[in-house]
Amino acid sequence: MRVPLSWLREYVDLPAGETGRDVAAKLVDAGLEVETVEQLGGGLKGPLVVGQVLTIEELEGFRKPIRFCTVDVGQANGTGEPQEIVCGARNFAVGDKVVVVLPGAVLPGDFAIAARKTYGRTSHGMICSGDELGMGDDGTHGIIVLPHEHEVGTDAIELLQLVDEVLDIDITPDRGYCMSMRGVAREAATAYGLPLRDPALLDVPQPNSYGYPVKVDDPAGCDRFTARTVTGLDPDARSPIWLTRRLQKAGMRPISLAVDITNYVMLELGQPLHAYDRASIDGTIGVRRAEQGEKFTTLDGVKRTLDAEDLVITDNSGPIGLAGVMGGANTEIADSVTDPETGQVTGTTDVVIEAAHFDSVSISRTARRLKLSSEASKRFERGVDPQAAAAAAQRTVDLLVLLAGGTAEAGVTEVLAPGAPRTIAMPADHPDRVAGMEYGRETVVRRLQEIGCDVYGQDELVVTVPSWRPDLAAPNDLAEEVIRLEGYGNLPSTLPQVPSGRGLTARQQLHRRVGRALAGAGYVEALSYPFIGEGVFDQLQLPAHDVARQVVKLVNPISDEEPALRTTLLPGLLGALRRNDSRGSHDLALFETGSVFRAAARPGVAVRLPVDRRPTDEEIATLNAALPAQPRYAAVVLAGAREQAGWWGKGRPADWADAVQAARALAVEAGTELVVRQGQYGPWHPGRCAELVVTLRGVEQVIGHAGELHPRVVKAMGLPARTSAMEIDLDRLAAAGGEALQAPRISSFPVATQDVALIVDASVPASSVEAALRKGAGELLESLRLFDVFTGEQVGEGKKSLAYALRFRAADRTLTAEESTAARDAAVALAGERTGAVLRGA
């Protein structure tokens, strides 16, 4: 909401020396969010005067039309002689009154004006447009043409109200009443402790039976409808300068007199209005819900398909307006047209004014569904004062009679639904208990009365809420009003006491350790949106029956291209990798931890929880049962160099082994042992894919995969060649690890190292050989590491040699050579029994 300070002063007698910044500070203290204070006319310096065009000479030989004009500026130039000015605009003629800036003046943007030679003539000043004066667009995109009643030589700076200050206020949803000068003036009056001249306090005639006929079929959607009629308007009447300037300063473009007046009254009182061309209305005006699929063309010329929830204004021909959002093209106020032969001006002469109050939820849904946000819908969504409708209609009628020469018909239509003022019971000390400080009953009552409430009672207050404050619905809302008006800065600062014995859960601790471990290994965390499109599963080459394809779809997604919740972290991470690679970062190692969403076999229906009390345990359980399972996953993606080349070495590229090692690092953090064996799944290369296995409750479970992505996946998703990835279920990994991490055993006795090289069939996984060696070596084995894999003629066709380093250590003694050899032989024997392994060279 843009609030010109000069306009605000009409309703509140602000101190003469108060600047826009002073007023902004007061409003901020009262709880409004003033974003900026704009200085209009800053740096503007005259002479800037009204002139009359005397002659126009068209200059030939230039690529664009150029005119040499003489303009009468009176005595403003010191000589009284006509001013010679070169101008390229075409929207003015001889005899028109224009705005002239003379040499020596300075326009906004530090644009100094001087006599200069251009297009073969000397121009002594400029004929100004609205943009050049910082006024904004007036709809003409050309020179300002003034009404003829303004005298030549008049100071145009004062006439056009070019110097002003405008407060730009960000209105929060609970302060809809501040989307009007009336509402902001009320806040300013309260902040300064000054009286308010309420512009809504008008003498309004009583409703009668001979007003324009109106029928409301949906009183829940429209609880108040006021209609007034004005006839005999001058179709050629133009909006006066004061009206257009106030609209421009408030951020609205002048259109025509009737439309400008309705916009002006909306800005003044906060009540949206609409003016219908009476000649275009067929019969009784009605308010009803639209028929499903009903067609309607709005003022912007777009033909829209309506929903059964949309509220429409109708006549006998069908919809003529989208209630609270936008009027219809079929009853639009007609522009004035001049007959070139007779000079007669035709246009709208009779109008019907609508001032209604509509249901905020209905208007909000319609505006969002049609993507048609308007100044009216913004106000109705936040709450409009229903009692202001009659005053707004009267104000509009008065201005039409004053400025357009119309006649107000005596008929007044007002359709009302039964209703009563809202009351709230509140203990007088409730604001004290909310704020943690003592205000006292007198202060509470005074502050509530300042915002328009009627207050009765002593210890227990009964508060009648004013009609313009639909946001006040509970004692806490009233307490907030008292606190903000007394000043948030006066509240005591008290730090909460942290209860002992609380801390992170085991699940939260694991997630933190996982993040630290991956960051320490050189990965950078990436946070992606939890939304995906189902087409990504085809890019990842997931089979049609894969559980990851069973997604939970959102009713109102942020993007139509990603309407579902993710079942895997890889699309978001791979998208981040692709974007970074395209921007020149080719050596990448990214990770993410987050929830994925698994659809239930039978989707549940979520219950709507109450907001006036704590939900019961049964209600919470029902809600939780309807939610999808949300296990937490971890994933990494790698591309480019894993180790940079330099004087220290050649470096190396990232490969599948790095992805596997990332999974092993997470298993260490979870305190469990991860079995890595060859696998095949979706996006991974079938020959370079490892499945990640843990033993959970005595059963082996695959909880993730790691390796190099399939070339077809890389191509489909636009990824760097040889991209690797890993994804693992953190919750099941934690379950396999137990409650607490086991600290490593440290022995002061020396280690005994034994190396073995075993020949096995090429199809035997190294993990199977390793598992057998661990089992056979017994408790003396401290660690086991595969350090070499060899194939060739020396080991035979279809065979491979696996070389392991075994470290033995005892906790209570130094091992003898015989003990470590015996443990090694036992390990080799069991490996031979289970996998057919034979000692190389034996």
Side-chain angles (χ1 to χ4, degrees):
M1 177 70 187
R2 289 173 56 84
V3 178
L5 191 59
S6 60
W7 194 357
L8 184 64
R9 289 183 182 275
E10 284 197 4
Y11 312 119
V12 185
D13 290 326
L14 299 173
E18 289 292 276
T19 66
R21 295 193 180 278
D22 296 332
V23 176
K26 285 282 190 179
L27 294 178
V28 169
D29 288 341
L32 293 182
E33 298 180 15
V34 182
E35 293 191 335
T36 59
V37 178
E38 183 180 351
Q39 303 288 332
L40 300 184
L44 178 64
K45 177 185 174 183
L48 187 72
V49 298
V50 175
Q52 185 170 23
V53 180
L54 301 177
T55 63
I56 298 177
E57 178 186 351
E58 302 288 345
L59 301 182
E60 305 292 341
F62 300 102
R63 287 183 296 178
K64 63 178 182 179
I66 298 297
R67 311 167 99 186
F68 181 69
C69 310
T70 58
V71 185
D72 179 10
V73 295
Q75 296 299 318
N77 58 5
T79 64
E81 296 294 323
Q83 201 79 1
E84 297 179 339
I85 298 175
V86 175
C87 184
R90 314 289 297 175
N91 68 314
F92 65 95
V94 172
D96 282 346
K97 298 287 182 67
V98 294
V99 178
V100 179
V101 57
L102 301 177
V106 179
L107 294 184
D110 199 25
F111 180 31
I113 302 300
R116 65 189 184 94
K117 190 168 184 178
T118 179
Y119 296 102
R121 303 292 179 95
T122 300
S123 182
H124 298 273
M126 287 174 52
I127 301 176
C128 298
S129 67
D131 287 337
E132 290 165 339
L133 298 179
M135 296 170 57
D137 180 22
D138 61 356
T140 64
H141 302 287
I143 292 302
I144 301 171
V145 179
L146 300 171
H148 285 282
E149 62 265 21
H150 297 294
E151 294 185 5
V152 169
T154 302
D155 183 5
I157 295 178
E158 182 178 352
L159 175 67
L160 299 178
Q161 304 171 21
L162 297 179
V163 179
D164 202 349
E165 293 180 276
V166 178
L167 282 64
D168 192 353
I169 305 176
D170 183 14
I171 307 300
T172 53
D174 62 328
R175 303 224 179 269
Y177 68 96
C178 284
M179 295 192 74
S180 67
M181 294 300 302
R182 180 194 185 201
V184 176
R186 188 181 302 278
E187 291 297 315
T190 303
Y192 280 93
L194 297 171
L196 169 71
R197 289 188 290 274
D198 190 345
L201 295 180
L202 301 175
D203 291 331
V204 179
Q206 293 298 313
N208 50 53
S209 59
Y210 42 92
Y212 198 92
V214 173
K215 180 182 179 183
V216 177
D217 293 329
D218 191 336
C222 176
D223 59 5
R224 182 181 294 261
F225 195 108
T226 300
R228 299 289 300 274
T229 303
V230 181
T231 60
L233 301 179
D234 178 4
D236 196 34
R238 296 173 53 185
S239 298
I241 291 175
W242 66 265
L243 178 58
T244 59
R245 287 299 294 136
R246 285 190 171 178
L247 291 176
Q248 288 174 328
K249 291 176 185 179
M252 301 189 75
R253 182 173 65 87
I255 298 174
S256 64
L257 178 57
V259 176
D260 291 349
I261 288 174
T262 58
N263 286 336
Y264 176 82
V265 175
M266 177 185 67
L267 291 172
E268 184 178 49
L269 301 182
Q271 169 67 53
L273 302 111
H274 190 69
Y276 300 95
D277 187 337
R278 182 175 179 178
S280 303
I281 302 177
D282 181 12
T284 301
I285 292 177
V287 183
R288 62 168 172 83
R289 297 289 172 175
E291 298 174 3
Q292 187 64 39
E294 193 170 11
K295 306 293 184 181
F296 172 62
T297 302
T298 46
L299 279 173
D300 55 2
V302 177
K303 190 172 185 178
R304 304 183 187 276
T305 301
L306 304 182
D307 187 84
E309 287 191 358
D310 296 334
L311 199 64
V312 292
I313 312 298
T314 65
D315 64 4
N316 293 339
S317 65
I320 60 173
L322 200 54
V325 181
M326 186 175 286
N330 51 348
T331 56
E332 181 180 6
I333 300 296
D335 295 330
S336 61
V337 178
T338 303
D339 190 313
E341 296 182 359
T342 65
Q344 183 178 1
V345 179
T346 60
T348 296
T349 57
D350 302 338
V351 297
V352 177
I353 304 300
E354 166 208 308
H357 184 260
F358 300 112
D359 175 57
S360 60
V361 174
S362 175
I363 302 306
S364 177
R365 287 176 177 172
T366 296
R368 278 161 174 73
R369 187 182 62 79
L370 295 176
K371 297 180 174 62
L372 187 61
S373 179
S374 65
E375 292 294 332
S377 68
K378 291 176 185 176
R379 285 165 173 79
F380 279 120
E381 288 172 7
R382 290 162 173 79
V384 169
D385 180 7
Q387 302 292 338
Q394 182 63 43
R395 178 71 164 139
T396 304
V397 168
D398 292 343
L399 288 173
L400 285 172
V401 171
L402 175 67
L403 302 177
T407 301
E409 289 195 351
V412 177
T413 302
E414 193 164 51
V415 180
L416 300 177
R422 288 177 295 111
T423 60
I424 302 172
M426 179 187 73
D429 63 346
H430 182 69
D432 300 359
R433 289 186 281 112
V434 172
M437 63 182 297
E438 184 176 350
Y439 293 120
R441 180 188 177 279
E442 290 185 4
T443 298
V444 171
V445 172
R446 175 172 57 84
R447 288 303 190 183
L448 292 179
Q449 289 175 339
E450 286 177 350
I451 65 171
C453 295
D454 291 330
V455 186
Y456 304 95
Q458 293 298 319
D459 294 338
E460 187 75 18
L461 302 180
V462 177
V463 182
T464 302
V465 176
S467 58
W468 58 84
R469 293 300 302 269
D471 58 302
L472 301 181
N476 283 341
D477 298 328
L478 300 178
E480 179 187 359
E481 293 300 300
V482 174
I483 294 168
R484 76 176 179 89
L485 293 178
E486 283 294 304
Y488 291 120
N490 296 325
L491 291 176
S493 178
T494 305
L495 294 177
Q497 297 295 322
V498 180
S500 60
R502 302 285 182 89
L504 299 177
T505 65
R507 190 171 187 255
Q508 292 170 330
Q509 290 175 347
L510 173 61
H511 296 160
R512 290 199 176 185
R513 291 199 304 272
V514 163
R516 285 195 293 265
L518 291 175
Y523 291 86
V524 176
E525 185 172 16
L527 300 177
S528 57
Y529 286 114
F531 311 117
I532 58 172
E534 294 182 80
V536 76
F537 299 129
D538 295 329
Q539 293 179 325
L540 293 176
Q541 298 195 4
L542 297 184
H545 61 275
D546 196 284
V547 68
R549 287 182 175 268
Q550 299 174 13
V551 296
V552 178
K553 292 188 177 180
L554 301 173
V555 175
N556 187 22
I558 293 178
S559 168
D560 293 336
E561 296 179 358
E562 296 180 331
L565 293 173
R566 67 188 178 191
T567 55
T568 168
L569 300 180
L570 289 182
L573 265 183
L574 293 174
L577 184 140
R578 179 179 61 249
R579 286 191 298 274
N580 281 275
D581 180 73
S582 67
R583 294 168 184 171
S585 298
H586 304 302
D587 303 325
L588 297 163
L590 308 177
F591 83 93
E592 182 175 8
T593 61
S595 296
V596 299
F597 304 85
R598 300 294 188 187
R602 288 187 176 182
V605 178
V607 298
R608 188 183 296 274
L609 296 180
V611 296
D612 58 343
R613 59 174 173 81
R614 182 190 182 280
T616 65
D617 293 340
E618 292 76 11
E619 289 172 331
I620 296 175
T622 303
L623 178 63
N624 288 334
L627 298 177
Q630 301 175 44
R632 195 166 183 91
Y633 275 38
V636 304
V637 293
L638 305 101
R642 183 64 175 138
E643 295 178 2
Q644 296 291 335
W647 58 265
W648 54 84
K650 295 181 179 180
R652 68 173 184 84
D655 60 16
W656 62 269
D658 294 300
V660 173
Q661 183 56 35
R664 293 185 187 276
L666 301 192
V668 171
E669 296 299 327
T672 188
E673 187 172 347
L674 193 67
V675 177
V676 180
R677 61 193 182 201
Q678 187 174 4
Q680 184 172 345
Y681 177 68
W684 281 277
H685 192 297
R688 302 187 182 100
C689 173
E691 62 181 20
L692 311 174
V693 181
V694 295
T695 301
L696 192 58
R697 290 183 290 276
V699 179
E700 285 192 346
Q701 293 188 20
V702 178
I703 63 169
H705 293 83
E708 183 180 315
L709 295 182
H710 198 289
R712 285 198 291 267
V713 174
V714 169
K715 181 178 180 181
M717 301 192 75
L719 303 172
R722 310 303 289 268
T723 297
S724 298
M726 179 277 294
E727 185 172 39
I728 194 168
D729 186 334
L730 277 184
D731 287 344
R732 285 198 286 172
L733 183 67
E739 291 273 332
L741 286 174
Q742 296 295 323
R745 184 180 63 187
I746 300 175
S747 174
S748 60
F749 295 97
V751 67
T753 303
Q754 297 275 0
D755 294 345
V756 295
L758 304 176
I759 297 176
V760 296
D761 290 339
S763 61
V764 175
S767 60
S768 299
V769 178
E770 182 177 328
L773 289 173
R774 287 185 183 277
K775 183 70 174 177
E779 295 181 354
L780 293 179
L781 182 66
E782 182 179 79
S783 66
L784 173 67
R785 181 174 63 89
L786 175 66
F787 66 86
D788 185 57
V789 179
F790 176 77
T791 58
E793 296 180 358
Q794 293 90 331
V795 298
E797 186 177 354
K799 301 287 185 180
K800 63 182 176 181
S801 172
L802 304 176
Y804 291 91
L806 291 77
R807 292 166 57 92
F808 298 97
R809 196 192 314 253
D812 56 351
R813 68 188 187 281
T814 299
L815 292 178
T816 64
E818 290 78 9
E819 287 177 308
S820 61
T821 301
R824 181 204 64 185
D825 293 342
V828 171
L830 188 59
E833 179 182 334
R834 291 187 174 181
T835 65
V838 178
L839 272 174
R840 184 174 176 181

